[in-house]
Structures are given as C-alpha cells and as structure tokens.
Amino acid sequence: MLRAWLAIASLLVFARSSDGQTGATGTIEGRVSNSRNAEYLEKARISVVGAGLETLTDTGGHYRITNVPAGTATVKAFFTGLEVQTEPVSVAPGTTVRRDFDLGGSSVTRLSEFVVSTSKEMDGAAIAINEQRFASNIVNVVSADEFGSVLESNPGDFLKYLPGITIDFIGGAARSISMGGVPPQYVPITVGGFDVSSVAGGGTARSVDFHTISMNNISRIEVVHSPTPESPGNALAGSVNMIPRSAFDRARPIFNYSVFMMMRDNDRHFHPTPGPRWINKRKIHPGFDFSYIKPVNDRFGFTLTGANTKQYTEEARTQNTWRGGGAATNGITAVTAATQYPDTTPDRPYLTDYVVEDGGKTTMRTSAAATVDYKFSPNDRVSLSVELTMFDSPLSQRTLSFFANRVSPGDFTPTSTHGQVGRGEVRQTSQSRHHSRVKYMPTLTYRHDGPIWKAESGLGYSNERLHFRSVDKGYFNQVVSRRQNVTVAFDDIFYLRPGRITVTDGTTGAPVDIYNLDSYVLSTANATHRRTTDTRRGAYANLRREFDLGGLPLALKGGLDVRHATRDDRQLTPAYAFVGADGRSSMSPTAAGSDDRAGVVLDEVFSQRVPPYGFQKFQYSSTQEAFNLFQDNPNYFTLDQNSTYRSGVTPSKWAEEIVSSAYVRGDLALLNRRLKLVGGLRAEQTNVNAEGALTYPTLNYQRNAAGQVIR
C-alpha cells in the first residue's frame, strides 16, 4: 500500500500537468450564469474549439482553461436546456483573459403578445439532466425546484419517483428507502457528504429514515447507482447524497416562500372531530416554508431556510389470518395445544383471526438551517452549515381482535369459520405514546479549486435524540381489555373482512355485545420509556490533479475518510396487571363477584367516531382514563417486577463503529472525451464495539465446587 502511495505521489510531482503554461500559451477564465433565475451554473461545459481543451464549471460557476494557444480562440459554453454560446477570445502569450457567459439571456421566444419561457421547475430539471450528462458514473439527480412543494417537506416524496428506489411507508409517510432490493441499512444517506444521524427502528442498525430531514434545506439530491472508489463499503446497491443550499449558487438575492393548508382526503372537516386522542381536534392545519439566499458580494454570502408543518393522518387497517394460506396449521392431533387448527389444502384456506384498527397521529415537523459561504481567495472557499430539526408525533391506535383459537374439522370453508365452543377470545387494545425527536447537524467544508490542484476537506457532526413517552404525559402506553370463554364465528367472508362476526358466551350461549366495553374485563396496562441517542462524526480530505497523457486527459484523485458513530438505546416498559378492588383478576365480566369491567375506563369522545370498514360504533378504552384510575387507586394494579426488569435489559443496547478508509481514483478520457474510463482502489476497515443484554443459560443451574450441576 505504501509503495502505491509513493508511486502516485511521484506521478503527481513529476508528471507534466495540463495546467502548466508555456510562453506561447495563455489562460482563459470566467463565470457562467443564467440571468433569468440568477443562478450560477455548475458543470457547464466550456471548451476551446479545435484545441481539444475542455473543462466543467465548479459549484459557483467558475471555470479556468490553461495552455490555450496564443491568438484568437473560439470558446464554446454548453449547458443542458440552454442555448449554446460561442465567443472569440484574444489570448496573448503568458496572460490571463476573463470571459463570462450568460446562457439565459436568449431563452425567451416572443410570439405576438405571448411569451414562452422555461419555468422554475424546468430550470431544476435542466440542472438535474446536466448533472447526469457529465457524471462519471450512473447517477440520478433531482433538483429541489423540480417538483415544487412537497407534503411535510419529506425527501422520500422526491425519491419515490426515481428508478431503482423503493420507499418504505409507515402511516402514510415515507420513512426509509432501499435500492435494487438492498435493505435500508445498506443504502448510505448523507447530507453534503456527511453521515446523517438517525434513530430509525431502534437497535443498532445503520438505517436512516426521513423523520428529521427537511427537503426545504436541500438544493438537490444525488442518487448514485454505480460505485466508484469514493463510495463507502456499505453502499451495496448505491447511495443518496443531499446537497445543501449555497449562497454562491445565485447571482442575486432570492426569497421564496409558501403558505398552505394541510389535510388528508379522508378527513377534511374544518370543525373538530374525535381523535386522534380522547378529545375533539381539528384535522386541517396551516404550514409554511421559506428560503432566503443572499450573495452579499463575490466573496461572501449566506442562506436561511425554515419550515413548519402539521399533518393529521388517519391510520385504519384490517388484518386477516388465513390458515393454510400464509399461517400454519397444526393438525387435528395436537389436543394439548392452546390453539388447534386442522390441516387443509391450499385451495381451501380458512379464516381464524381478524383484526380491525382505527386511530391516527398528528405529525409536526419544524426545521431551520443556515449556511455561510466565504472566499478568502479566488480559489479557496469555506462553508459553514448548521441545521436544526424537531419532530413531534402524538400517536393513538385502537384495535379490536377476534380469535377463534380452536376449529374442529368440517367447521370451516373459505367463506365461513365456526370456532369451538368457549375456546375463542375477543380483545380490545388502546395504545398511546408521544414520539419526539431533535436533530442538530453542523458541518464545515473547505474547497480549493486552483489551476493545478483541486482539493476538498470537511468536518461533520450530527446528533439525534428520540423519546417515547407515556405516563409522564398523563396516560398509559397500552391498555388491554379481554373477553375469554366465548365462541367466535365468521360468516360471509370476502377479501376485506368477514361480513358477519358472531360472538356468544361459551357457557350460556348468549350473544355477547362486542361493541359495549362492559362486555370486557380490564386486563393489563403498560408504560413506555425510551431514550435513544445517535451521534455521527466524520472527517474527509481529497486531492485531485489533471494531466495530459500524450494528448489524453487524465485525472488522478486520492482521499482519506474517517466516520465514527455511536448509538445508545435505553428502553423500559413496566407491565401492570389489573386486579380491581378485590385484588383478583378475571377473564370474563360474568365471573362471580367480578369487578373488573372495562367500562370504568371508557373513552367517551373517541367512541363517538364512526369506525372504518362498515362497522358500527365501538366503545373504546382510554389510556388516559386508565392512568387516572391507577393514580387514584394504585392498589387496583400489580406490577410484574420480573418482566419490568427484562423489558429494560433485553432491548437496551450500546454500539460504537469506526470506519476508516483511503482510496485512489483515476479518470481517463478517450475518443475526444466521448469515452471515459474510471478505476481505482479503496481500502476500508471497520471496528465495532457493542454492549447488550447477556444471555447465559447455564446460570440457571446451581453447581458444586467441582463445577458439577447439582440442581
């Protein structure tokens, strides 16, 4: 490895650079802009006709061509979607001539009283196409201006339109992505080339979700489909890089803003309606976003962006469990099993479990970002960016579940299932929790774009904290009410749900009113405490130089990259059993002396809501009323200390990962730059240190001094 680096260093020092200037040549430099939208154009192609000299503009629209033969040179500027411009430039030996190009000056066509011109979205599309045209690998580029306003400013709503991308949606919101069938933990997502902290999914996975990434702060998104030596080792199918806004992207100040109302099609009421919690709330909310880009002068500029959205999402679902069609059977001989499902053929599956869920959440996202750009020389630039995002989502869900549990042979068809007498169960569950996140991300980058060397380095830090809370907010996380010793029958079953659900008491055969909460007993409750912190630190540096290899353009690039990540996930779920005033739990409200009827925690407001899928109104339990009952009568509940201890130890984890890498890359252009060969070498090392629950089964046995098991 050392020999390879020495060889590259020797080549960089002693090879003849294409930027070297002889006495019979000069230099042409300048800047390329689009006056129509005041943008400086990155990757505009500038070439000297007939001389084989060509370059691309940098992020600020600057270009520089050296070794231009003395005399009159014809310079051509090209950018996708704009008119090509050609200008004669007189070059004196040993001098530098400046020539700027405005490619937007002639983009308007006048037809009588009509003016036809490109829109902001078309400008964004042109930028994206131009990026892809001149990229050295397969890449999709999406400009933030291309699709206009996006619901909740979620980048996933941009990415879902790109080929090869699959979006994982949770509750109607884009959460994470996969590429080419590769899971999300192997699709790196970066902002400005830096890792983004994310507490997605808990545990210690590398997955990144979009909860705390705001599209309002992004200029464009690059989706890389083919790896190069710069690509991290975990980018199995590609990666995503989001580029922040920069003041040097514009030639003059620009302020964009929008004010809007947000709603879902299935709840467009302006007056308060039940849900998602135990009070009536409005489901239509205002929102806004803005971006201000201010290039103060040629050397200094800044950007300010911000957004606030609030969105209500109804979360209704239905779930069918088909035996012999996705769920296992266990034969007719397992008489001791808690459940018994006869075998069947694939053409005769039967329904044994059915779940209907109704609920919703309100998602609030607030983001603010600022970037300061400063040039302390014509070729050197430093950028400081800071982003703060807050995510808040109160969530409530209610489910009603029907379990046949045991089915006798001959008591089922694809359109009906009749469970065994007294073996079934009906369960009503209410769940509430407060989900909040805060992410803070500062980054610092330095770029040198000189006539010979091009260099870039940066430092990045990202920290995200997640909280799941319940009892400190005044409610339990989950409350379960049950009714056992019932007979469950499904009839008129179609693709969505059973047309008729019949529940009768297993002892008396009397019908059970499944819509009345007093038909159930209050069974269990739990609280949730979770705090997860994810911290990412990164540093990189690279150096690039171009050469003339016998008339063939050659570019060599080398770099170093260090990424450090820590994840600390702490969880605790205390579990409570309801025993009531008599100190005894029961599974049926018909039991002698039972005082455990669930109606004592009735949610009077949400129970007025019309359920989905054609059901009549249910009476739901309230997690808030259950917690109030616990506070007033703590002796009505017993705490399972063993399960509480395990709930805090088993899911809690800590992990640290350090990834160190170095790479070398070479780009060789052939056939008048129509064919480009890219190759190189990357060395990467990953060190992981982690802690979690210790499972040591042999500690369950007592041993004597000799180590022999005695019991």
Side-chain angles (χ1 to χ4, degrees):
M1 186 69 181
L2 179 60
R3 292 180 179 179
W5 280 107
L6 290 175
I8 293 171
S10 300
L11 181 60
L12 291 174
V13 172
F14 295 108
R16 181 174 66 87
S17 169
S18 63
D19 291 323
Q21 189 167 305
T22 65
T25 62
T27 299
I28 302 176
E29 64 181 15
R31 206 170 189 184
V32 182
S33 65
N34 180 357
S35 62
R36 185 178 62 255
N37 55 21
E39 284 188 338
Y40 289 112
L41 301 177
E42 181 183 3
K43 291 188 178 178
R45 184 173 63 187
I46 310 299
S47 59
V48 179
V49 179
L53 300 175
E54 183 178 300
T55 190
L56 298 176
T57 56
D58 64 11
T59 56
H62 295 92
Y63 76 91
R64 182 183 176 93
I65 301 179
T66 59
N67 293 330
V68 180
T72 301
T74 302
V75 182
K76 182 169 68 174
F78 167 82
F79 190 87
T80 302
L82 299 177
E83 185 175 340
V84 177
Q85 288 192 15
T86 303
E87 295 287 342
V89 180
S90 298
V91 180
T95 63
T96 298
V97 181
R98 182 177 181 89
R99 179 53 55 91
D100 296 333
F101 288 90
D102 175 12
L103 300 186
S106 59
S107 61
V108 179
T109 302
R110 187 173 299 275
L111 299 175
S112 185
E113 68 273 21
F114 296 97
V115 178
V116 180
S117 63
T118 58
S119 66
K120 177 182 176 182
E121 290 73 17
M122 293 184 65
D123 292 335
I127 293 173
I129 294 171
N130 194 77
E131 288 273 345
Q132 295 168 192
R133 178 193 292 268
F134 295 116
S136 300
N137 52 348
I138 301 175
V139 59
N140 291 120
V141 182
V142 182
S143 170
D145 295 334
E146 190 168 347
F147 293 120
S149 298
V150 175
L151 180 68
E152 293 189 289
S153 196
N154 192 327
D157 291 313
F158 270 56
L159 293 168
K160 66 184 180 183
Y161 296 110
L162 300 184
I165 296 275
T166 300
I167 303 294
D168 179 18
F169 284 89
I170 297 295
R175 186 182 71 170
S176 58
I177 68 171
S178 64
M179 295 179 62
V182 174
Q185 56 264 36
Y186 301 110
V187 181
I189 297 179
T190 57
V191 173
F194 297 101
D195 283 347
V196 180
S197 58
S198 177
V199 291
T204 55
R206 289 172 171 172
S207 304
V208 174
D209 62 26
F210 298 118
H211 282 96
T212 54
I213 302 177
S214 178
M215 195 66 216
N216 183 61
N217 306 323
I218 303 301
S219 172
R220 60 186 181 276
I221 298 179
E222 298 176 341
V223 180
V224 179
H225 293 277
S226 59
T228 62
E230 297 98 323
S231 303
N234 65 324
L236 299 187
S239 60
V240 177
N241 183 38
M242 305 182 188
I243 302 174
R245 298 182 184 273
S246 171
F248 292 147
D249 292 343
R250 296 283 181 173
R252 62 176 181 266
I254 185 169
F255 178 67
N256 292 322
Y257 70 93
S258 59
V259 179
F260 46 84
M261 302 291 289
M262 300 182 66
M263 69 190 77
R264 294 284 184 178
D265 285 343
N266 55 359
D267 201 330
R268 293 177 288 182
H269 300 92
F270 282 93
H271 60 275
T273 58
R277 292 292 174 86
W278 36 83
I279 59 176
N280 292 314
K281 296 283 289 185
R282 298 186 186 276
K283 306 303 187 295
I284 300 177
H285 303 285
F288 71 89
D289 63 61
F290 73 91
S291 64
Y292 179 56
I293 303 176
K294 173 67 173 179
V296 179
N297 51 46
D298 289 341
R299 301 186 62 182
F300 175 73
F302 64 89
T303 69
L304 295 173
T305 61
N308 178 267
T309 62
K310 186 176 182 180
Q311 171 76 10
Y312 168 75
T313 303
E314 180 181 313
E315 296 183 329
R317 71 181 182 95
T318 179
Q319 179 177 323
N320 299 285
T321 301
W322 292 89
R323 300 292 165 176
T329 58
N330 57 7
I332 61 173
T333 60
V335 294
T336 60
T339 57
Q340 180 177 348
Y341 304 118
D343 294 332
T344 186
T345 56
D347 61 324
R348 298 186 72 248
Y350 57 99
L351 183 70
T352 59
D353 306 342
Y354 176 73
V355 178
V356 58
E357 179 179 301
D358 190 14
K361 64 182 179 182
T362 301
T363 301
M364 293 162 282
R365 188 197 309 262
T366 302
S367 65
T371 301
V372 176
D373 298 298
Y374 177 69
K375 286 185 176 182
F376 50 88
S377 80
N379 300 322
D380 298 280
R381 161 183 159 186
V382 64
S383 296
L384 174 64
S385 178
V386 180
E387 179 180 350
L388 175 66
T389 305
M390 293 176 288
F391 176 88
D392 198 69
S393 179
L395 170 71
S396 292
Q397 295 172 323
R398 288 87 170 173
T399 59
L400 186 61
S401 306
F402 302 87
F403 305 100
N405 283 338
R406 286 193 179 218
V407 180
S408 298
D411 283 347
F412 63 85
T413 70
T415 58
S416 67
T417 302
H418 293 173
Q420 291 183 6
V421 175
R423 296 291 190 175
E425 178 184 347
V426 186
R427 187 182 306 164
Q428 203 252 69
T429 304
S430 293
Q431 186 177 37
S432 303
R433 70 167 181 259
H434 192 92
H435 175 188
S436 62
R437 300 189 188 194
V438 177
K439 188 188 75 176
Y440 171 68
M441 186 174 182
T443 62
L444 178 66
T445 58
Y446 162 75
R447 294 180 179 89
H448 171 76
D449 190 9
I452 298 178
W453 298 97
K454 300 182 186 299
E456 185 174 357
S457 61
L459 297 172
Y461 176 86
S462 183
N463 178 273
E464 180 169 324
R465 298 189 305 274
L466 171 143
H467 288 271
F468 280 172
R469 304 159 67 182
S470 60
V471 292
D472 61 325
K473 290 287 187 178
Y475 47 83
F476 276 123
N477 173 60
Q478 186 181 77
V479 175
V480 178
S481 304
R482 307 173 71 177
R483 176 68 179 264
Q484 295 184 327
N485 187 30
V486 295
T487 305
V488 176
F490 302 129
D491 291 288
D492 300 331
I493 301 171
F494 62 107
Y495 76 97
L496 182 63
R497 49 157 287 193
R500 287 187 294 120
I501 302 176
T502 305
V503 180
T504 57
D505 186 79
T507 302
T508 65
V512 175
D513 185 1
I514 60 174
Y515 301 98
N516 189 338
L517 195 58
D518 271 332
S519 298
Y520 305 81
V521 294
L522 191 57
S523 177
T524 60
N526 66 40
T528 182
H529 306 275
R530 178 182 171 190
R531 178 169 180 165
T532 305
T533 302
D534 185 70
T535 303
R536 308 290 179 97
R537 299 176 177 87
Y540 71 89
N542 57 64
L543 191 63
R544 184 175 183 270
R545 184 173 176 178
E546 296 183 353
F547 304 92
D548 185 354
L549 191 66
L552 299 177
L554 171 66
L556 292 180
K557 182 180 180 181
L560 303 171
D561 191 0
V562 179
R563 301 172 187 260
H564 177 263
T566 57
R567 175 77 62 84
D568 189 4
D569 189 14
R570 301 289 183 229
Q571 301 186 41
L572 181 67
T573 309
Y576 300 86
F578 182 76
V579 296
D582 61 0
R584 296 179 302 174
S585 62
S586 61
M587 290 293 102
S588 173
T590 61
S594 173
D595 62 345
D596 303 334
R597 293 181 184 272
V600 68
V601 294
L602 172 66
D603 187 335
E604 295 184 357
V605 174
F606 198 84
S607 298
Q608 301 304 312
R609 179 181 171 89
V610 178
Y613 310 116
F615 283 94
Q616 68 184 69
K617 291 181 180 180
F618 293 116
Q619 286 189 345
Y620 294 100
S621 59
S622 166
T623 56
Q624 184 190 50
E625 291 297 330
F627 184 67
N628 291 339
L629 180 64
F630 168 73
Q631 288 186 307
D632 295 338
N633 304 278
N635 58 306
Y636 285 11
F637 296 80
T638 61
L639 178 64
D640 187 336
Q641 297 287 356
N642 180 56
S643 63
T644 298
Y645 172 78
R646 292 176 177 272
S647 74
V649 172
T650 303
S652 297
K653 299 177 179 65
W654 177 88
E656 177 185 39
E657 180 183 59
I658 300 177
V659 180
S660 306
S661 59
Y663 68 90
V664 179
R665 168 178 168 172
D667 293 30
L668 179 64
L670 304 173
L671 302 179
N672 196 24
R673 300 180 185 266
R674 295 180 180 274
L675 174 64
K676 180 177 288 188
L677 303 179
V678 179
L681 175 67
R682 181 181 182 88
E684 185 172 295
Q685 177 174 314
T686 302
N687 297 318
V688 176
N689 183 25
E691 299 175 0
L694 174 63
T695 302
Y696 195 4
T698 59
L699 292 180
N700 294 326
Y701 302 92
Q702 186 175 352
R703 299 175 184 271
N704 58 22
Q708 298 172 329
V709 176
I710 57 177
R711 64 175 181 177

